[in-house]
Amino acid sequence: MRHRKILIASLLAGTSSIVNAVDKSPTPIDGISYPSGWQKWASISVSHRTDNNTLRVILGNQIAVKAARSGKTNPWPDGTILGKVVWKDTKLENWKAATTSGELVHTEFMLKDTKKYTETYGWGWARWIGINQKPFNKGAQVCTSCHTRVKNRDWVFTNPAPFPKMK
Amino acid sequence: MRHRKILIASLLAGTSSIVNAVDKSPTPIDGISYPSGWQKWASISVSHRTDNNTLRVILGNQIAVKAARSGKTNPWPDGTILGKVVWKDTKLENWKAATTSGELVHTEFMLKDTKKYTETYGWGWARWIGINQKPFNKGAQVCTSCHTRVKNRDWVFTNPAPFPKMK
């Protein structure tokens, strides 16, 4: 019975970590501040990776969303911030053939500023790990080594999804 | 050469349909108006269905997002609007093991109003089809027949994704 209580307490703790846990703004990375309020940003696209079993939403600040929805993304305008929120691909309880966003793996951001980020192809690159958003401090090269293959797309993998025009 | 020009014109037409094409607000369904400005709403979760090969983002109005982020979703509060945007699961050009949102299949909305929607379990149900958002007029029963299995979750399949607390 005691074990059961502990188990229930653990499960509840797990649930509350969803609501979570960042008491102050996460630590900047290489001079890049944690983008404020990205949790309210609009969506640009969704993706699924089978090589690491993750589901992602790609969000953007107002400049990014305006560019995405109007197809003006090569290059993306200065001031763009793209955010990628990465979760473990997890079975959905009530629909056998569906998966959904489980544990938060990390958030990643690309910040376009062609004057500031001259040494990293016009973008600032940053990643914060897990629900507590610990800074990833291994340098932008970890990001750009994969993104090089899309350098002719202004270094961005994302295809903006088709959205109905807003009325 | 002429065919090539026609092909290019067709491709361009395809691209512009991404930016698209709803000239006036889509037709209401069973007295439910098209939710205004949902394209700017924040995300609640992401899902992937392998039975019909679609990727989805689940969005919400402010009431819904506040409820989702604080774990208060059974029941969801009156005033909640949940939006599900459904795209064909499509290969991502530059990453072999990734898929992303292709053609827009439809948008679906659940509107919580326990006084107004007494005959459909406290929710209004609506779906608009394709990039031109044509109304789906086959009645709420098409929705509720599947959602019955989650009636103990206030009729909602979606698990809100874990988001870091906002700072």
Side-chain angles (χ1 to χ4, degrees), chain A residues 20 22-23 39 43 45-48 50-51 69 87 94-95 97-102 149 153 161-162 164-165 167, chain B residues 20 22-23 39 43 45-48 50-51 69 87 94-95 97-102 149 153 161-162 164-165 167:
Chain A
N20 164 295
V22 179
D23 292 326
Q39 293 92 331
S43 306
S45 196
V46 175
S47 67
H48 177 224
T50 56
D51 49 349
R69 302 280 171 86
W87 294 279
N94 295 291
W95 193 271
T99 61
T100 190
S101 30
R149 72 173 70 179
R153 295 168 49 91
K165 204 169 175 178
K167 286 288 164 183
Chain B
N20 168 319
V22 180
D23 292 327
Q39 294 91 331
S43 305
S45 195
V46 174
S47 67
H48 177 225
T50 56
D51 49 349
R69 302 280 170 87
W87 294 280
N94 296 291
W95 194 271
T99 62
T100 190
S101 29
R149 70 172 73 180
R153 297 168 46 91
K165 204 168 174 178
K167 286 287 162 181

Side-chain angles (χ1 to χ4, degrees), chain A residues 55-120:
Chain A
L55 276 176
R56 294 119 180 278
V57 64
I58 297 92
L59 311 171
N61 67 356
Q62 284 187 17
I63 293 171
V65 170
K66 188 178 172 190
R69 302 280 171 86
S70 58
K72 296 177 180 171
T73 59
N74 199 357
W76 290 80
D78 266 23
T80 288
I81 308 180
L82 296 170
K84 192 174 275 178
V85 193
V86 179
W87 294 279
K88 285 190 180 168
D89 194 22
T90 304
K91 285 199 171 190
L92 185 64
E93 191 184 348
N94 295 291
W95 193 271
K96 273 188 182 173
T99 61
T100 190
S101 30
E103 185 185 331
L104 182 72
V105 178
H106 54 232
T107 62
E108 299 174 325
F109 296 90
M110 291 176 66
L111 301 88
K112 184 78 185 275
D113 187 330
T114 48
K115 287 179 185 161
K116 189 170 177 184
Y117 301 117
T118 51
E119 292 182 8
T120 49

Side-chain angles (χ1 to χ4, degrees), chain A residues 74 121 147-156:
Chain A
N74 199 357
Y121 316 107
H147 282 252
T148 301
R149 72 173 70 179
V150 284
K151 64 182 177 181
N152 65 343
R153 295 168 49 91
D154 198 16
W155 298 83
V156 173

Side-chain angles (χ1 to χ4, degrees), chain B residues 8 51 53 124:
Chain B
I8 290 169
D51 49 349
N53 295 318

Side-chain angles (χ1 to χ4, degrees), chain B residues 39-167:
Chain B
Q39 294 91 331
K40 288 188 175 179
W41 289 355
S43 305
I44 290 177
S45 195
V46 174
S47 67
H48 177 225
R49 269 180 65 177
T50 56
D51 49 349
N52 63 9
N53 295 318
T54 53
L55 276 176
R56 294 118 179 277
V57 65
I58 296 93
L59 312 171
N61 67 355
Q62 285 187 17
I63 293 171
V65 170
K66 188 178 172 190
R69 302 280 170 87
S70 58
K72 295 176 181 171
T73 60
N74 199 356
W76 291 79
D78 265 22
T80 287
I81 308 180
L82 296 170
K84 192 174 273 177
V85 192
V86 180
W87 294 280
K88 286 190 180 169
D89 193 24
T90 304
K91 285 199 171 193
L92 185 65
E93 190 182 349
N94 296 291
W95 194 271
K96 273 189 184 173
T99 62
T100 190
S101 29
E103 185 185 332
L104 182 72
V105 179
H106 55 233
T107 62
E108 299 175 325
F109 296 89
M110 290 176 67
L111 300 87
K112 185 77 185 274
D113 187 330
T114 49
K115 287 179 185 159
K116 189 170 177 184
Y117 301 116
T118 51
E119 292 181 10
T120 48
Y121 316 107
W123 293 93
W125 309 76
R127 174 190 281 173
W128 283 269
I129 310 289
I131 196 69
N132 291 317
Q133 298 285 273
K134 293 190 179 160
F136 175 85
N137 281 322
K138 295 182 183 168
Q141 201 272 334
V142 174
C143 312
T144 58
S145 64
C146 273
H147 282 252
T148 301
R149 70 172 73 180
V150 285
K151 63 182 178 182
N152 64 344
R153 297 168 46 91
D154 197 16
W155 298 83
V156 172
F157 282 100
T158 300
N159 287 331
F163 274 80
K165 204 168 174 178
M166 192 143 43
K167 286 287 162 181

